[in-house]
Amino acid sequence: MKKISYILASILEICLLAGAYAVHYFTKKKMGMARYVVYKNHKWEKAYPMAAFQMAVVILLVILAILILFFFIKRRRKAKKLAYTMNTAMIALVIIYTVFTIGTSADTMRDHYFISGILALATFIQEIKTFVTVCGYEK
């Protein structure tokens, strides 16, 4: 059951990353998608404090990653190679998400809010997978 959940989470994560690429590609290439993205950006900026929400998500994901790393360091003697790989992937996704969210805006990239949300979800799934892997080792 654990392996099936891990495989399904990995497939979902890959689909999310591919979806982020597709959103970016079609926003640049298709006028209908660009119009929809601009419309949604305008609607979301009126309804929600998007900058504050994005910073809160960045801080939450970074804190979660740091806690998982500390938890991993405490148990690293019993960790397998998979745990090291998953921690590396988690750190990479957190860095990519943080740099993307802080480094770009809806003014510079029309699809910023869409891609930021998709990357946040993929990063969160990776953090959950890493946490479950790290927790799998007995003290």
Side-chain angles (χ1 to χ4, degrees):
M1 183 67 179
K2 191 175 180 181
K3 286 185 180 184
I4 293 172
S5 300
Y6 175 77
I7 290 170
L8 288 175
S10 296
I11 290 171
L12 178 62
E13 191 176 344
I14 290 168
C15 288
L16 284 169
L17 295 174
Y21 174 77
V23 166
H24 183 67
Y25 175 80
F26 286 117
T27 300
K28 284 187 151 199
K29 298 292 182 184
K30 301 293 180 182
M31 186 56 125
M33 182 71 166
R35 286 181 183 153
Y36 178 75
V37 167
V38 168
Y39 166 74
K40 282 305 224 183
N41 285 348
H42 183 67
K43 193 172 179 182
W44 287 340
E45 286 174 350
K46 274 187 170 181
Y48 309 109
M50 292 303 288
F53 182 68
Q54 284 184 327
M55 287 309 296
V57 172
V58 166
I59 291 169
L60 176 73
L61 290 176
V62 168
I63 288 173
L64 265 167
I66 290 170
L67 290 174
I68 292 169
L69 279 174
F70 282 140
F71 196 61
F72 171 71
I73 289 170
K74 284 177 67 175
R75 296 175 168 221
R76 72 175 173 251
R77 290 189 180 134
K78 295 186 180 192
K80 296 180 183 175
K81 193 172 187 175
L82 177 66
Y84 287 98
T85 305
M86 291 187 66
N87 275 299
T88 304
M90 178 187 68
I91 292 168
L93 272 175
V94 168
I95 290 171
I96 289 168
Y97 172 70
T98 304
V99 168
F100 178 80
T101 302
I102 293 173
T104 62
S105 69
D107 297 332
T108 58
M109 282 183 75
R110 291 182 195 156
D111 51 0
H112 172 74
Y113 294 139
F114 285 91
I115 294 176
S116 181
I118 293 170
L119 284 177
L121 189 57
T123 303
F124 185 67
I125 290 170
Q126 180 63 39
E127 287 181 345
I128 290 172
K129 286 180 0 187
T130 305
F131 181 72
V132 168
T133 301
V134 169
C135 284
Y137 306 115
E138 307 255 342
K139 277 190 173 183

